[in-house]
């Protein structure tokens, strides 16, 4: 590993396996050690651009003195995340959060919120900032904004951009999944969605773009709205549809997450249909069990742990800078083709 690789990863090797120093940060940015020291200490006389570059380098290299005296970071979540089939993905995001917090030598706490998101939120609480783990209730966002409390939405977004947010490129992922099915010749594509979530609406919007580009008109009857993105609810919905329609009226299923895809495949198999022989299925997230499913799942790969780590980085920036400009960070996604999709016969 060369100097550039070390700078990008924050990892030192061999004899250099020691704590990151001011010189390391200075070398990375291309400024003097004294400039780095003054910038990190909040001294005046340093341009905003240089200060920002130094802070970013210090965070990336895990320089230990970048967050002196920072109090605990609180993760806000709600009970349904640990109860539904999407928990495998969310646990990966949480692992990314925990690992980054450990690297920075910080303390992490967990707080449950109620349906409005306001339970146990106290402006006088001993916390430096909040990470909203797939929690994006309007009441909670408004409260945190009004009280000027540092917060980042993890795996979601605020449509009004009042809070920072980090999420996968959902529109791109939705587009890639649909385009894959279209390239295989599918035009009758059933959509499994849950519109209350902005990120899921983004995924569906990406699918819609692919359909329009292919000049394929979407049939409104080929959209199934689920109460939650769970395997059991999907299994029930697909089974009921197949019974009511007396068979297949679609050749492929586009799913808003992997849990839906698992439920859809199970329902199809139970009704005597094969995947991908009769129906192709595409998921979203690429959780570890996607490759181990009875039919290995074609899906959209999301780097869940990276999303968690980036959310911590953004929260630290928010706490230190206290600027008013919210940012929305999207991480790249990609299609992973496996056995659940095939050319239409």
């Amino acid at each position: 590993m060369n100097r550039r690789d070390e700078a990008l990863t924050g990892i030192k090797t061999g004899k250099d396996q020691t704590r990151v120093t001011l010189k390391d940060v200075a070398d990375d940015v291309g400024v003097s050690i004294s400039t780095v020291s003054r910038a990190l200490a909040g001294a005046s006389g340093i341009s905003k651009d240089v200060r920002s570059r130094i802070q970013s380098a210090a965070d990336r290299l895990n320089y230990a003195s970048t967050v002196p005296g920072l109090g605990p970071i609180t993760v806000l979540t709600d009970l349904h995340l640990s109860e539904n089939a999407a928990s495998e993905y969310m646990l990966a995001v949480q692992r990314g959060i925990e690992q980054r917090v450990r690297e920075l030598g910080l303390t992490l706490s967990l707080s449950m919120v109620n349906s409005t998101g306001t339970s146990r939120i106290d402006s006088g609480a001993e916390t430096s900032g909040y990470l909203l783990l797939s929690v994006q209730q309007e009441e909670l966002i408004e409260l945190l904004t009004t009280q000027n409390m540092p917060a980042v939405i993890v795996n979601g977004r605020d449509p009004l951009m009042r809070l920072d947010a980090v999420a996968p490129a959902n529109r791109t992922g939705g587009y890639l999944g649909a385009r894959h099915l279209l390239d295989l010749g599918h035009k009758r594509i059933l959509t499994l969605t849950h519109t209350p979530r902005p990120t899921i609406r983004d995924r569906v919007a990406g699918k819609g773009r692919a359909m329009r580009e292919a000049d394929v008109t979407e049939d409104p009857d080929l959209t199934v709205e689920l109460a939650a993105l769970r395997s059991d609810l999907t299994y029930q919905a697909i089974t009921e549809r197949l019974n009511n329609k007396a068979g297949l009226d679609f050749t492929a299923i586009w799913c808003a997450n992997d849990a839906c895809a698992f439920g859809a495949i199970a329902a199809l198999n139970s009704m005597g249909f094969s995947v991908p022989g009769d129906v192709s299925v595409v998921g979203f997230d690429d959780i570890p069990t996607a490759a181990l499913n009875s039919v290995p799942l074609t899906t959209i790969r999301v780097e869940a742990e990276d999303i968690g780590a980036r959310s911590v980085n953004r929260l630290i920036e928010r706490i230190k800078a206290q600027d008013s400009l919210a940012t929305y960070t999207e991480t790249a996604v990609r299609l992973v083709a496996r056995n659940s999709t095939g050319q239409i016969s």
Side-chain angles (χ1 to χ4, degrees):
M1 183 180 292
N2 58 32
R3 169 71 67 172
R4 174 172 174 77
D5 291 334
E6 292 172 3
L8 291 174
T9 62
I11 299 173
K12 290 185 164 291
T13 58
K15 295 180 180 179
D16 293 327
Q17 196 170 11
T18 58
R19 172 175 287 189
V20 176
T21 66
L22 284 174
K23 185 178 185 303
D24 295 313
V25 179
D27 289 345
D28 184 86
V29 180
V31 297
S32 68
I33 294 176
S34 62
T35 298
V36 172
S37 178
R38 290 172 55 239
L40 296 179
S44 59
I46 299 174
S47 71
K48 182 177 180 180
D49 175 65
V50 172
R51 190 186 303 276
S52 175
R53 287 164 51 207
I54 290 172
Q55 287 286 177
S56 296
D59 288 339
R60 187 177 67 255
L61 297 173
N62 299 334
Y63 177 62
S65 297
T66 58
V67 285
L70 195 67
I73 289 175
T74 300
V75 174
L76 299 178
T77 187
D78 53 14
L79 287 172
H80 83 273
L81 289 175
S82 61
E83 295 173 347
N84 69 26
S87 61
E88 190 173 347
Y89 170 80
M90 294 311 304
L91 286 172
V93 175
Q94 186 171 328
R95 283 197 302 272
I97 292 173
E98 293 171 348
Q99 179 177 346
R100 185 60 179 142
V101 166
R102 285 195 301 270
E103 291 172 349
L104 293 171
L106 302 176
T107 302
L108 190 69
S109 64
L110 179 70
S111 181
M112 308 304 297
V113 296
N114 57 20
S115 59
T116 64
T118 56
S119 177
R120 298 183 63 180
I121 301 299
D122 178 9
S123 60
E126 292 184 2
T127 188
S128 294
Y130 292 97
L131 293 172
L132 282 60
L133 188 56
S134 268
V135 174
Q136 42 203 359
Q137 292 98 325
E138 171 59 28
E139 293 85 350
L140 175 58
I141 293 175
E142 182 64 26
L143 174 64
L144 293 170
T145 303
T146 300
Q147 297 186 355
N148 197 31
M149 303 171 75
V152 174
I153 299 174
V154 186
N155 193 54
R157 65 176 177 87
D158 170 21
L160 300 181
M161 292 294 288
R162 289 161 294 182
L163 296 181
D164 297 287
V166 180
N170 289 300
R171 286 177 183 258
T172 299
Y175 175 87
L176 292 175
R179 192 179 69 177
H180 175 68
L181 293 173
L182 291 163
D183 288 345
L184 292 172
H186 298 279
K187 295 184 178 180
R188 297 284 296 176
I189 302 174
L190 187 69
T191 300
L192 302 180
T193 185
H194 178 61
T195 56
R197 291 187 59 81
T199 51
I200 301 305
R201 295 199 296 271
D202 287 343
R203 295 179 179 187
V204 174
K207 172 186 177 288
R209 176 191 159 201
M211 300 288 279
R212 290 191 299 273
E213 287 185 0
D215 198 25
V216 175
T217 301
E218 294 196 75
D219 183 348
D221 188 49
L222 289 178
T223 296
V224 175
E225 179 68 31
L226 298 169
L229 298 176
R230 290 174 14 197
S231 297
D232 59 332
L233 296 180
T234 303
Y235 182 95
Q236 179 181 351
I238 295 297
T239 301
E240 290 179 354
R241 184 182 184 91
L242 293 174
N243 285 328
N244 292 338
K245 299 287 184 178
L248 293 172
D249 63 338
F250 52 86
T251 65
I253 305 178
W254 179 99
C255 304
N257 73 356
D258 289 345
C260 292
F262 297 154
I265 291 172
L268 289 165
N269 289 339
S270 71
M271 298 290 284
F273 298 105
S274 68
V275 176
D278 296 310
V279 180
S280 288
V281 179
V282 167
F284 202 118
D285 291 335
D286 196 23
I287 60 177
T289 51
L292 305 176
N293 192 50
S294 58
V295 180
L297 183 64
T298 294
T299 184
I300 303 300
R301 174 65 175 170
V302 176
E303 300 296 339
E305 292 190 19
D306 182 74
I307 288 172
R310 289 179 185 272
S311 299
V312 175
N313 291 343
R314 182 54 190 150
L315 181 59
I316 299 302
E317 291 175 355
R318 167 63 59 189
I319 293 169
K320 291 188 294 187
Q322 289 292 315
D323 57 57
S324 59
L325 181 63
T327 63
Y328 178 37
T329 301
E330 285 193 339
T331 63
V333 299
R334 62 182 177 87
L335 178 79
V336 178
R338 297 193 180 100
N339 296 355
S340 67
T341 52
Q343 194 80 30
I344 190 170
S345 53

